[in-house]
Amino acid sequence: MSASRQVTKAVNDVLDLAPRHGEVSLIKLVAAVSEDRARPIEIAMAELPPGVTGQWRQYGDHDVFLIQRGLPTWDRTLAHELGHLVLGHYGIPVAEAARELAEVADDGLIGYMLNQRTGCMGPSGEDAEQEAEDFAALLLYRLGRLPSDRSSIVQVRLGEAFG
Ligand SMILES: [Zn+2]
């Protein structure tokens, strides 16, 4: 795995936001990022067009990660969309005023780029897709190795630094 420095830093920054007590799950990390940005992030399962796994929509005052309903690798897709967000990429802008219209005319959003490899639908380019993939892989890898309390997280990180 050769994630860029920027991706590695983004993963560290997100893990730094992890709750201090209890198990650290991906859902909790998304909530922590949301709190840190003082901007709500909603996660919703949705019937997305065939081949689409996930989509990040930016509304006026909140963000929505849509995940294809029934997707077995939903956590990978969720981590991928979170990666786009924390790496400063752009989601699909949806003006608050046009929200209802957009929900009705969902097919219109297909006009945005669908990445054939990741199934991610959004206006970001191939480089951004790769970064989001690297972020998701590294974040899930690190999450999978995390013990369930934060003091242990610090130990893991120290271990990585000195090991
Ligand atoms: Zn993507």
Side-chain angles (χ1 to χ4, degrees):
M1 185 187 317
S2 61
S4 72
R5 273 179 178 279
Q6 189 198 1
V7 168
T8 305
K9 180 181 184 309
V11 168
N12 285 338
D13 287 348
V14 167
L15 288 172
D16 279 344
L17 297 172
R20 285 167 191 281
H21 302 289
E23 195 163 343
V24 179
S25 67
L26 182 57
I27 300 282
K28 284 185 183 173
L29 282 180
V30 172
V33 169
S34 167
E35 199 170 313
D36 184 61
R37 303 170 81 231
R39 194 176 141 91
I41 299 173
E42 290 174 16
I43 302 168
M45 296 293 162
E47 302 286 347
L48 295 171
V52 179
T53 58
Q55 188 187 92
W56 167 27
R57 293 187 189 176
Q58 289 180 302
Y59 291 89
D61 59 358
H62 70 289
D63 295 280
V64 177
F65 292 152
L66 292 180
I67 309 294
Q68 180 74 278
R69 193 184 301 282
L71 188 71
T73 56
W74 65 270
D75 54 341
R76 175 70 178 226
T77 293
L78 180 56
H80 175 105
E81 301 302 331
L82 182 66
H84 279 312
L85 187 146
V86 299
L87 288 164
H89 302 159
Y90 294 98
I92 296 177
V94 184
E96 200 65 34
R99 179 173 185 166
E100 283 181 31
L101 183 64
E103 299 295 340
V104 173
D106 235 17
D107 288 351
L109 291 172
I110 297 174
Y112 284 90
M113 188 179 99
L114 168 62
N115 189 282
Q116 297 296 334
R117 188 169 50 83
T118 61
C120 176
M121 192 164 70
S124 46
E126 185 63 31
D127 287 352
E129 287 307 311
Q130 187 59 54
E131 279 185 6
E133 279 297 277
D134 289 347
F135 175 92
L138 186 57
L139 183 67
L140 292 179
Y141 172 75
R142 297 276 299 274
L143 260 182
R145 295 180 62 207
L146 284 186
S148 60
D149 69 275
R150 191 183 171 91
S151 60
S152 303
I153 293 177
V154 174
Q155 283 173 5
V156 168
R157 292 184 57 183
L158 288 175
E160 284 174 355
F162 297 109

